Amino acid sequence: MAKRLDIKDLNLHYGKFHAVEDVTLQVQARSVTSFIGPSGCGKSTVLRALNRMHEVIAGARVDGKVLLDGEDIYAPSVDPVQVRRTIGMVFQRANPFPTMSIRDNVVAGLKLTGEKNKKKLDEITERSLRSANLWEEVKDRLHKPGGSLSGGQQQRLCIARATAVQPDVLLMDEPCSALDPISTLAIEDLIAELKKDYTIVIVTHNMQQAARVSDQTAFFNLRAVGEPGQLVEIEETGKLFSNPNQKATEDYISGRFG
Amino acid sequence: MRTDTADVEQPAADPAFQYLSLGRKLKNNAATVVFTAAFLIAVVPLLWVLVTLLQRGLPPLLNADWWNHSFYGLLPSDFGGGIYHALVGTIEQALVCALFSVPLGVTVGIFLIEYGQNSRLAKTATFMVDILSGLPSIVAGLFIYALWITTFGFDRSGFAVSLSLVLLMLPLVVRTTETMLRIVPDELREASYALGVPKWKTILKVVLPTALSGIVTGVMLGLARIMGETAPLLILVGYSRAINFNLFEGPMASLPLTVYTARKTSTEAGEYRMWGAALTLVLLIMLINLLATLISKFFAVKTK
């Protein structure tokens, strides 16, 4: 079940470094939200804070609230492991588990949390690989290592792996930055399909990609190097790219930045 | 009539690239000579040792009795008999040592990389492991003698040897585990966390399997190294010419101890035993190194 996200007054730190300042935004269920902005503006950091991956880094700190259908994922009683189960993530670089086969990679999240029913795992393997548009390419070699696939296939494998645990929200951190245009297109098509079932937040450096795939776009910026990143504006994608509210957004999307 | 191609073959200007100068050729040749000579100087003693070992140690090994008999009932001057008792001792002592060192060392390595990071405890542990890895084997032997035999009152035994070998093998296992865990990319840990897998399970099912090949290789190489240790044996266990399977009681032979004991008896048979045992030890260590290579290939992360 897709759920909505409400981010309220989010402040993120790495040790003493204030990385992101006062972010407040909403993400609707079954929609795609893009985060764009220059390097170092904190968009990936915000994304990682949405499934409590930010705190994995030593010294990292989170202030503020992230509500998943009204429930604060940073409430003291909440187990971060369960949060990550509910809010999945796809990383910039495809990272299939090198010791596992294609099939085991897909169902890794289930197997490692105790699911043993082979028939069920096989069903989920096929369903997840189909939804990642990878089934036809790998169905005859499911027992081969995940590392034997091409870069684009590996990234789709990672998406299949993330959807196999049926999260409510799918976070994607520049999922196409290491891929060629054809694999990128395959993943963008996939995002459009996944939108029917999932809430998706995607960080991208590619503004055309943001324009193509997302319903709303958030532009992040930082005043200067060393200053915290901020959310400049969040707007319906068509409006943000054609008629942004802020001068900084217009400068950035038209390439007149800095 | 001149064609265009003829023009291309004629250089239009002075060539941009000069011939290799004589000075550089000479320097290159001199360097080649120096490096080749250094290689030969390093290799000659190694080959010499191997040739001597094979020349003198091979005859006893070709006798079938060598592999399944002991020296029991034979005088120091008698030829014949075999090394079985010493093989049993060396292998038992090394395996029991591994039984303690491997679980302990791997656990410490996991703590240092996955949990300790920069905590004070981890820094202290790293420092201690550093000290331990520089510990002379005779000191390890003396320490166990003082602790196990003088303080606790146990007899000298093969087990005491195993304990002293643990002190020598532990730092090797910790180091190997640390190094191998450190090269597992953080991306894999994060990928696992992002699927809602708890940290302990991530370590057990994702991190360790990825590092397994290297850890196993390190353990095997550590095992090969401690098998040749002699100093603790001289202090902690008596030599026996008979087969003794019991690590906790009585004198127990081992390959280094056999070499040492046989050398003290200045008979021709003693020399025969000494070289035979020495070559057997080298072969055993080579076998383990070979096994380490095979095992590391078996556990290696596959990409096809």
Side-chain angles (χ1 to χ4, degrees):
Chain A
M1 271 306 295
K3 289 183 178 170
R4 57 176 274 141
L5 277 171
D6 290 279
I7 302 163
K8 287 183 180 161
D9 303 322
L10 195 66
N11 278 274
L12 303 167
H13 296 81
Y14 291 107
K16 282 180 184 159
F17 176 59
H18 194 176
V20 178
E21 188 177 64
D22 295 334
V23 170
T24 297
L25 61 86
Q26 281 85 43
V27 174
Q28 297 304 324
R30 291 193 187 78
S31 72
V32 179
T33 302
S34 294
F35 289 179
I36 61 168
S39 295
C41 68
K43 54 197 186 306
S44 286
T45 307
V46 171
L47 191 79
R48 289 171 61 90
L50 301 186
N51 70 339
R52 299 195 62 167
M53 287 295 283
H54 177 63
E55 68 207 51
V56 169
I57 295 161
R61 209 174 79 237
V62 181
D63 295 314
K65 282 183 175 167
V66 177
L67 306 176
L68 182 67
D69 267 6
E71 198 182 339
D72 187 4
I73 67 168
Y74 281 102
S77 58
V78 170
D79 175 6
V81 170
Q82 277 184 356
V83 171
R84 293 180 200 132
R85 188 93 204 249
T86 318
I87 307 178
M89 191 162 202
V90 175
F91 296 84
Q92 186 170 1
R93 265 178 51 191
N95 50 5
F97 299 126
T99 52
M100 295 182 196
S101 67
I102 292 171
R103 172 188 180 275
D104 286 348
N105 259 289
V106 174
V107 292
L110 296 159
K111 270 180 94 172
L112 296 183
T113 46
E115 180 61 55
K116 288 203 177 73
N117 185 338
K118 194 175 169 298
K119 196 159 162 272
K120 190 176 167 199
L121 291 176
D122 282 339
E123 280 170 20
I124 292 171
T125 304
E126 179 169 349
R127 194 194 65 213
S128 308
L129 284 172
R130 277 192 194 282
S131 80
N133 294 328
L134 192 58
W135 175 253
E136 292 301 326
E137 289 160 64
V138 302
K139 64 180 178 189
D140 300 322
R141 45 176 176 147
L142 291 172
H143 60 281
K144 292 273 174 69
S148 65
L149 299 176
S150 75
Q153 289 174 325
Q154 285 190 16
Q155 191 62 299
R156 277 180 282 153
L157 178 63
C158 291
I159 293 174
R161 181 175 68 183
T163 57
V165 295
Q166 295 198 290
D168 296 331
V169 179
L170 200 55
L171 309 175
M172 297 181 158
D173 190 358
E174 296 184 46
C176 303
S177 68
L179 302 182
D180 69 292
I182 294 170
S183 304
T184 301
L185 190 67
I187 296 210
E188 286 181 10
D189 288 347
L190 178 56
I191 291 170
E193 274 177 46
L194 290 173
K195 195 173 98 171
K196 293 176 204 150
D197 300 310
Y198 299 97
T199 307
I200 294 173
V201 183
I202 175 170
V203 166
T204 176
H205 269 295
N206 180 335
M207 282 181 275
Q208 285 78 17
Q209 181 170 64
R212 283 192 298 263
V213 302
S214 61
D215 302 304
Q216 61 170 355
T217 300
F219 172 60
F220 289 81
N221 202 355
L222 69 176
R223 285 182 299 251
V225 175
E227 296 275 308
Q230 295 168 311
L231 175 65
V232 175
E233 65 176 302
I234 178 162
E235 205 33 273
E236 187 261 315
T237 298
K239 169 132 184 356
L240 187 123
F241 281 104
S242 59
N243 186 18
N245 301 319
Q246 302 288 330
K247 177 85 167 53
T249 315
E250 195 185 339
D251 286 350
Y252 184 74
I253 58 175
S254 59
R256 265 182 290 131
F257 183 77
Chain B
M1 199 176 92
R2 284 167 66 96
T3 64
D4 287 334
T5 47
D7 286 336
V8 172
E9 281 164 19
Q10 285 296 318
D14 287 339
F17 305 110
Q18 260 105 56
Y19 291 110
L20 207 55
S21 73
L22 184 66
R24 279 190 58 197
K25 273 185 194 160
L26 283 176
K27 277 185 222 161
N28 183 42
N29 287 341
T32 309
V33 169
V34 168
F35 280 86
T36 313
F39 168 72
L40 289 177
I41 291 169
V43 153
V44 162
L46 195 70
L47 283 177
W48 203 337
V49 168
L50 274 180
V51 168
T52 313
L53 254 180
L54 282 173
Q55 260 177 0
R56 310 205 183 177
L58 202 54
L61 267 60
L62 297 176
N63 191 334
D65 278 356
W66 183 261
W67 300 105
N68 53 21
H69 281 67
S70 69
F71 296 137
Y72 185 65
L74 295 176
L75 292 172
S77 56
D78 289 341
F79 281 87
I83 204 72
Y84 184 66
H85 60 311
L87 270 175
V88 166
T90 291
I91 291 172
E92 273 192 18
Q93 286 164 11
L95 286 184
V96 169
C97 162
L99 214 61
F100 286 95
S101 327
V102 174
L104 196 60
V106 170
T107 314
V108 172
I110 291 174
F111 167 74
L112 289 177
I113 298 298
E114 305 292 335
Y115 291 97
Q117 267 132 15
N118 288 319
S119 69
R120 184 170 298 173
L121 185 59
K123 278 181 187 156
T124 317
T126 306
F127 182 61
M128 293 300 173
V129 170
D130 276 342
I131 294 179
L132 209 55
S133 63
L135 189 76
S137 57
I138 187 89
V139 177
L142 281 177
F143 170 72
I144 294 300
Y145 191 89
L147 187 76
W148 188 251
I149 293 162
T150 313
T151 310
F152 291 165
F154 291 99
D155 284 334
R156 300 203 305 160
S157 65
F159 186 68
V161 171
S162 294
L163 287 182
S164 71
L165 294 180
V166 168
L167 293 178
L168 301 171
M169 187 166 173
L170 191 61
L172 299 176
V173 178
V174 174
R175 259 307 122 67
T176 306
T177 309
E178 262 189 290
T179 315
M180 290 304 140
L181 291 181
R182 199 169 280 142
I183 58 175
V184 174
D186 271 341
E187 294 158 18
L188 293 184
R189 295 182 179 89
E190 292 198 340
S192 179
Y193 295 155
L195 291 170
V197 180
K199 183 168 181 171
W200 68 272
K201 213 154 197 174
T202 299
I203 294 170
L204 210 62
K205 299 281 186 170
V206 174
V207 180
L208 274 181
T210 309
L212 191 64
S213 157
I215 293 175
V216 172
T217 311
V219 165
M220 296 298 280
L221 295 179
L223 209 58
R225 183 169 115 46
I226 57 143
M227 276 185 171
E229 284 298 345
T230 316
L233 306 173
L234 301 177
I235 304 173
L236 293 170
V237 70
Y239 176 71
S240 162
R241 276 178 291 162
I243 300 164
N244 176 11
F245 287 103
N246 191 346
L247 274 172
F248 295 94
E249 222 183 328
M252 189 181 211
S254 54
L255 288 166
L257 207 52
T258 307
V259 176
Y260 179 80
T261 314
R263 199 201 64 84
K264 283 196 299 189
T265 59
S266 49
T267 60
E268 254 178 72
E271 196 150 300
Y272 170 91
R273 291 177 187 179
M274 176 180 85
W275 286 107
L279 182 60
T280 310
L281 180 58
V282 170
L283 287 181
L284 182 63
I285 290 172
M286 270 171 60
L287 186 73
I288 289 176
N289 284 346
L290 201 70
L291 224 58
T293 318
L294 289 179
I295 289 180
S296 99
K297 280 220 179 95
F298 178 76
F299 283 120
V301 167
K302 292 166 189 72
T303 49
K304 274 190 181 148

